[in-house]
Amino acid sequence: MVSGAEAFRALHQGRAPGDPLVLPGPWDAASARVFAEAGFPALATPSHGVAASLGYEDGKTPADEMFAAVARIARAVDVPVSADIEDGYGLAPKELVERLLEAGAVGCNLEDSRGGTLKDPQEHADFLAEVRSVAADRLFVNARVDVFAHGDGDPERAVERAALYTAAGADCVYPILAPADVLPLLRAGTQGPLNMLARLDGTGPSPTELGELGATRITFGPGLQRRAAQALGDIAAGLRRSG
């Protein structure tokens, strides 16, 4: 029987240009069901979106609450769920893996920054290698590269970090906030799947266009949760006017 992690990993393989794996980001069980019922084959929680749903600022969600939220999402759907767990909350690799598996996650995002500061890349690579060793093939590890979010934005530096992380066993790398015009360079310098962030405000390339530039998979950060909150705000305003 194919495990959830194996099924999730297989979704990243053999993607044609222009046909990336699109992973909506549920922030609670109800949104997860909406995305699953729409036919998406897998989901990827956004830590920022989950934080907002729980009443926290980004990066301020207690680990227990984040894992509990992931567990509620994973229980609500029959498709694989990957979890954004920020930088790992300071947990040792063994406990981190155990908690992800207990929550029902098949994968995770792990950031290479803490508090807005980039970590030492070799130390982070060593951490990823420990996570991979403990998890074996039970988790799909997406290594976030924060050079464009918290560093100097040098694509070559991003490629160097990505190479360290894939050598350490990461299944995918995620240069968050990388400009679309550097995506071909990132693609050429990166082995394995490449995750890119798509915007929902019409200011950037579509998921298909990002796929044509070299992205393997597409996520949206907190964009979907923000769009839903905006729609709810519009409904609330309408109720006030009608009342």
Side-chain angles (χ1 to χ4, degrees):
M1 181 177 178
V2 176
S3 70
E6 289 172 323
F8 186 61
R9 190 170 284 110
L11 290 172
H12 294 74
Q13 305 303 319
R15 309 296 310 191
D19 182 32
L21 174 62
V22 176
L23 297 175
W27 53 94
D28 59 13
S31 59
R33 288 196 182 104
V34 169
F35 296 135
E37 289 170 3
F40 289 97
L43 307 174
T45 70
S47 63
H48 194 158
V50 173
S53 76
L54 296 174
Y56 293 104
E57 295 295 322
D58 184 33
K60 301 299 184 181
T61 309
D64 287 350
E65 293 197 43
M66 184 62 76
F67 285 112
V70 170
R72 288 191 293 272
I73 290 168
R75 285 197 304 267
V77 295
D78 293 327
V79 298
V81 174
S82 183
D84 182 346
I85 50 169
E86 302 179 356
D87 69 344
Y89 305 111
L91 299 174
K94 185 175 186 298
E95 182 178 359
L96 184 65
V97 169
E98 288 175 350
R99 297 196 69 172
L100 281 164
L101 295 175
E102 287 172 359
V106 302
C108 64
N109 277 16
L110 284 168
E111 303 169 6
D112 68 345
S113 65
R114 178 180 291 124
T117 301
L118 288 173
K119 299 178 181 179
D120 177 85
Q122 186 57 61
E123 289 181 6
H124 189 62
D126 292 343
F127 173 68
L128 292 173
E130 289 187 61
V131 171
R132 165 57 67 219
S133 177
V134 174
D137 290 331
R138 295 178 295 170
L139 288 174
F140 183 100
V141 178
N142 189 31
R144 207 176 89 173
V145 178
D146 285 359
V147 166
F148 300 97
H150 301 302
D152 60 7
D154 183 348
E156 294 293 346
R157 199 178 307 277
V159 168
E160 291 170 1
R161 284 178 173 257
L164 280 173
Y165 303 159
T166 54
D171 296 282
C172 183
V173 293
Y174 179 17
I176 191 170
L177 300 184
D181 60 2
V182 305
L183 180 49
L185 186 152
L186 296 173
R187 174 68 282 167
T190 303
Q191 294 185 355
L194 185 63
N195 189 157
M196 286 291 285
L197 178 74
R199 301 183 182 276
L200 297 171
D201 57 7
T203 61
S206 69
T208 296
E209 290 168 334
L210 288 171
E212 291 170 345
L213 290 170
T216 310
R217 85 180 211 176
I218 305 297
T219 51
F220 302 91
L224 289 161
Q225 185 272 331
R226 287 174 174 170
R227 177 69 67 86
Q230 181 181 16
L232 190 58
D234 292 342
I235 292 171
L239 291 173
R240 288 280 294 177
R241 288 192 298 270
S242 66

